Amino acid sequence: MKQTFKRIFQTLLWISLFFLISGVIITFFISTKVETAVVTKMQEQITSKLQLGKVSFSLYDKFPSASVKINIAV
């Protein structure tokens, strides 16, 4: 019985670790593409020039949804 619980715990731990590492890797590699796509779409909708500050993409800030934070340059 102890062995079964140990196996279940280890499996859940490895699955959680896999998703955590996958999220970090996805965020690292595609964040610039997502940020650029969001800014481009916003620029298409607005006739004036956008002056944006920092744009950041995150999978964890509003978990389970991905989010893009945009600071406006003053």
Side-chain angles (χ1 to χ4, degrees):
M1 193 63 145
K2 272 185 157 182
Q3 200 63 285
T4 305
F5 287 125
K6 185 176 179 181
R7 284 277 190 205
I8 292 171
F9 179 73
Q10 286 178 343
T11 303
L12 291 175
L13 183 66
W14 282 110
I15 290 172
S16 300
L17 188 61
F18 171 75
F19 282 119
L20 181 67
I21 291 172
S22 298
V24 170
I25 290 171
I26 289 170
T27 300
F28 181 73
F29 284 112
I30 69 166
S31 65
T32 55
K33 291 178 185 177
V34 172
E35 293 164 5
T36 304
V38 169
V39 170
T40 303
K41 285 291 186 183
M42 288 176 62
Q43 187 63 48
E44 289 174 1
Q45 301 294 320
I46 299 173
T47 56
S48 62
K49 178 72 176 155
L50 285 175
Q51 293 183 358
L52 301 176
K54 184 178 178 186
V55 179
S56 60
F57 171 75
S58 176
L59 288 174
Y60 300 111
D61 285 348
K62 303 236 180 205
F63 187 79
S65 300
S67 63
V68 177
K69 289 184 182 179
I70 301 172
N71 294 332
I72 299 173
V74 179

